[in-house]
Amino acid sequence: MNRIYRFDRINLALDFSKTKFEVNDVQSAMINKSLNHLQSLEAGEKVNVTEERMVGHYWLRNAELSPNDEIKKEIVIAKDQIINFAKKIHNGEIKNQSGEIFENILVVGIGGSALGPQFVAKALKHKAKMKIYFFDNTDPEGFLDVLNEIDCLAKTIVLVISKSGGTPETANGMKVVKYAFEQKGFIFEKSAVAITMPSSKLDNYAKENNWLKRFPLFDWVGGRTSIWSTVGLVPFALLGFNIDQILNGAKESDILGREQIIENNPSLLLASFVYSQTLGKGEKNMVVLPYSDRLELFGKYLQQLIMESLGKEFDLNNKLVNQGITVLGNKGSTDQHSYVQQLRSGLNDFFAIFVKVLELDKSLDIEVEEGVRASDYLNGFFLGTRKALFDNGRESLTISIKKVDEFSLGALIALFERFVSFYASFVNINAYDQPGVEAGKKAAGEYLEISKRIGELRIKNINISNQDIKNQLGLNIDLEDLEYL
């Protein structure tokens, strides 16, 4: 029996031949609940009760579904602004401060403000009209390495991305870039673009200092689903990617994701398979193995989408559940020379998701031996690995896409976004808040304040011991923590 479910509408297929998963095992009540939940989500219900906001990234790829005309208008206007801005950059209507064409993009952002653009930029690098770089941390050595890679800072558009406008890592990166511009005698503001909530701290700063451009972010778009907003579309348009096709791929994937019959709904199939593997308790890790260098960052992108969405301490009834799915992975066949040995012979604590690209650019697909090409080896390693795993009781799902282009990437990302919604409904958690992240930010802020106080003491006495620092400041922290402050 053929165990492949094909979805020609999005050029994608799900192959369950190396699993024991059976569609008939899925409970209809669970499916109906999840479909109803998603319908409420898309209709504009404030499903993120923790933050009292709607979750509307679906509207960004189909503005007609917006819950009101105001939101629809905001989406349309923002997209038109993006297209017009990119066109003016490409045709030289907007030039740098020396009257030259912009050639580079530097994205300053972290988490959802960087992961999506990084993944798609890497996947479609072969189509890019400009070079793109990222400040996605607050590591000074990382700043230095990136700036050393950029051949001409003056020809670089800097996209500063922060929804709240107050993200510390992003603010630090912005200050470093501004300093680097000034050190070379350039005016940072003439190359700076803000992507943030209207009237945020960043938006007001950009407005007051006459930045090159400001693009809006919307309250109802979460960071890990912001790729469809100005966060993703601005850099994609500047790179010369077809943003309409990216959005269309997601839109078509959404249409399938609303199908009531599970066999016709790829995201529901994916969620049901993962639920069967994890027993709804995260009992197994998800190992993502795309057999494509262009999809190398897909696993990293999914880490935030899945782990931040599903990693929750309490369910919707405030019951302690400690939910989540750990996502691991890099790419095939590279991983066959690193950790596939453990996958086949070690702990059976995972399930694998292979991603196969059916149509490759074969301009360099030469014969590496008589009658055998490099792509033949790639296929052989893919087929051999999943067979070797299954023969030893380790299950894997294969997702195939036609090729790596804008449409397929949009469809693939949207497939997993909707999977997250379905799975969250299955296990009765809120996929759209992140209290753990907020707790980490709060703790970091407390340590920063302590660090300032310690610095003042050390100025007065450079030889002061950590124990004396703790005693004098009355700090309620571990003595070992002072080693790093």
Side-chain angles (χ1 to χ4, degrees), residues 3 26 40 61 73 135 160 217 235 239 278 302 349 379-380 410 460:
R3 301 258 286 147
V26 185
S40 299
R61 52 241 198 180
K73 184 178 179 181
F135 274 10
V160 182
L217 264 171
L239 287 166
T278 64
L302 289 181
D349 60 351
N379 285 335
K460 298 175 182 177

Side-chain angles (χ1 to χ4, degrees), residues 68-320:
N68 58 60
D69 290 338
E70 182 182 354
I71 288 177
K72 177 182 175 181
K73 184 178 179 181
E74 288 176 337
I75 294 170
V76 172
I77 290 174
K79 183 183 172 187
D80 288 343
Q81 289 177 341
I82 293 166
I83 293 171
N84 290 333
F85 180 70
K87 185 182 294 184
K88 290 178 180 180
I89 293 294
H90 294 154
N91 65 22
E93 189 175 340
I94 296 178
K95 292 185 172 70
N96 77 343
Q97 56 201 280
S98 302
E100 303 167 309
I101 298 289
F102 282 105
E103 297 177 352
N104 308 312
I105 306 162
L106 174 58
V107 174
V108 182
I110 193 166
S113 297
L115 284 168
Q118 283 176 314
F119 167 50
V120 174
K122 163 75 174 176
L124 300 178
K125 183 179 179 180
H126 57 293
K127 293 186 172 187
K129 292 183 177 180
M130 302 174 72
K131 295 180 181 178
I132 191 166
Y133 306 88
F134 293 88
F135 274 10
D136 61 352
N137 201 356
T138 185
D139 180 353
E141 291 185 333
F143 294 150
L144 181 63
D145 289 345
V146 172
L147 290 172
N148 285 338
E149 289 180 20
I150 299 174
D151 52 8
C152 184
L153 199 59
K155 295 181 181 180
T156 303
I157 294 176
V158 183
L159 307 180
V160 182
I161 306 176
S162 170
K163 182 179 177 181
S164 66
T167 309
E169 296 92 338
T170 303
N172 295 347
M174 180 195 74
K175 291 171 185 175
V176 169
V177 180
K178 180 176 168 61
Y179 173 80
F181 266 80
E182 292 171 347
Q183 289 296 105
K184 292 182 178 292
F186 304 138
I187 301 172
F188 168 71
E189 290 76 10
K190 291 185 179 295
S191 295
V193 175
I195 299 175
T196 185
M197 289 266 291
S199 300
S200 73
K201 182 179 179 180
L202 173 59
D203 188 54
N204 291 334
Y205 180 82
K207 183 179 180 180
E208 292 167 5
N209 289 275
N210 297 312
W211 281 24
L212 181 62
K213 186 72 177 175
R214 290 153 42 230
F215 289 102
L217 264 171
F218 308 121
D219 176 67
W220 37 266
V221 179
R224 53 193 176 278
T225 56
S226 63
I227 191 171
W228 319 104
S229 71
T230 48
V231 169
L233 298 188
V234 173
F236 299 159
L238 289 172
L239 287 166
F241 302 158
N242 189 328
I243 61 173
D244 282 328
Q245 282 299 299
I246 294 174
L247 293 170
N248 284 341
K251 177 182 175 181
E252 294 297 319
S253 191
D254 285 345
I255 291 171
L256 291 174
R258 298 184 189 103
E259 289 284 344
Q260 302 291 307
I261 300 173
I262 186 172
E263 291 90 342
N264 298 334
N265 189 323
S267 293
L268 195 50
L269 278 169
L270 177 59
S272 299
F273 165 70
V274 174
Y275 184 86
S276 73
Q277 291 293 309
T278 64
L279 301 180
K281 300 175 182 178
E283 291 193 358
K284 288 192 175 183
N285 303 322
M286 176 189 293
V287 177
V288 181
L289 291 168
Y291 271 69
S292 165
D293 283 7
R294 290 176 176 172
L295 300 181
E296 179 181 4
L297 298 181
F298 189 44
K300 184 177 179 181
Y301 178 77
L302 289 181
Q303 281 179 335
Q304 185 190 32
L305 175 64
I306 295 173
M307 295 174 72
E308 191 168 295
S309 297
L310 302 181
K312 300 297 162 63
E313 188 173 7
F314 298 97
D315 69 8
L316 295 174
N317 300 322
N318 207 34
K319 177 184 175 183
L320 180 66

Side-chain angles (χ1 to χ4, degrees), residues 205-458:
Y205 180 82
K207 183 179 180 180
E208 292 167 5
N209 289 275
N210 297 312
W211 281 24
L212 181 62
K213 186 72 177 175
R214 290 153 42 230
F215 289 102
L217 264 171
F218 308 121
D219 176 67
W220 37 266
V221 179
R224 53 193 176 278
T225 56
S226 63
I227 191 171
W228 319 104
S229 71
T230 48
V231 169
L233 298 188
V234 173
F236 299 159
L238 289 172
L239 287 166
F241 302 158
N242 189 328
I243 61 173
D244 282 328
Q245 282 299 299
I246 294 174
L247 293 170
N248 284 341
K251 177 182 175 181
E252 294 297 319
S253 191
D254 285 345
I255 291 171
L256 291 174
R258 298 184 189 103
E259 289 284 344
Q260 302 291 307
I261 300 173
I262 186 172
E263 291 90 342
N264 298 334
N265 189 323
S267 293
L268 195 50
L269 278 169
L270 177 59
S272 299
F273 165 70
V274 174
Y275 184 86
S276 73
Q277 291 293 309
T278 64
L279 301 180
K281 300 175 182 178
E283 291 193 358
K284 288 192 175 183
N285 303 322
M286 176 189 293
V287 177
V288 181
L289 291 168
Y291 271 69
S292 165
D293 283 7
R294 290 176 176 172
L295 300 181
E296 179 181 4
L297 298 181
F298 189 44
K300 184 177 179 181
Y301 178 77
L302 289 181
Q303 281 179 335
Q304 185 190 32
L305 175 64
I306 295 173
M307 295 174 72
E308 191 168 295
S309 297
L310 302 181
K312 300 297 162 63
E313 188 173 7
F314 298 97
D315 69 8
L316 295 174
N317 300 322
N318 207 34
K319 177 184 175 183
L320 180 66
V321 289
N322 295 117
Q323 276 287 355
I325 300 173
T326 301
V327 180
L328 308 168
N330 182 15
K331 65 178 181 179
S333 62
T334 302
D335 288 331
Q336 292 180 220
H337 299 274
S338 55
Y339 58 70
V340 165
Q341 168 64 31
Q342 175 164 317
L343 296 186
R344 187 182 187 279
S345 304
L347 292 171
N348 190 1
D349 60 351
F350 74 97
F351 60 95
I353 295 181
F354 293 97
V355 183
K356 186 73 176 73
V357 181
L358 301 179
E359 296 182 9
L360 303 176
D361 182 343
K362 295 191 176 183
S363 56
L364 284 179
D365 193 22
I366 63 171
E367 285 194 358
V368 290
E369 57 185 83
E370 188 174 353
V372 181
R373 299 180 179 275
S375 62
D376 295 327
Y377 270 100
L378 189 66
N379 285 335
F381 287 133
F382 154 66
L383 291 168
T385 300
R386 69 177 199 155
K387 182 179 186 301
L389 292 178
F390 191 60
D391 287 348
N392 214 31
R394 286 92 202 282
E395 298 183 53
S396 67
L397 163 67
T398 296
I399 302 173
S400 62
I401 61 174
K402 188 175 181 181
K403 57 185 175 181
V404 179
D405 61 9
E406 290 94 333
F407 183 88
S408 290
L409 287 175
L412 185 63
I413 295 169
L415 169 82
F416 274 89
E417 283 182 348
R418 202 162 282 257
F419 145 75
V420 163
S421 294
F422 286 140
Y423 187 93
S425 177
F426 289 173
V427 298
N428 197 40
I429 60 171
N430 184 351
Y432 299 103
D433 63 355
Q434 48 278 333
V437 175
E438 299 307 319
K441 290 179 180 179
K442 181 181 178 181
E446 291 171 354
Y447 275 105
L448 283 171
E449 185 59 36
I450 291 171
S451 180
K452 291 178 185 178
R453 295 170 64 194
I454 291 173
E456 293 170 358
L457 272 184
R458 284 176 173 157

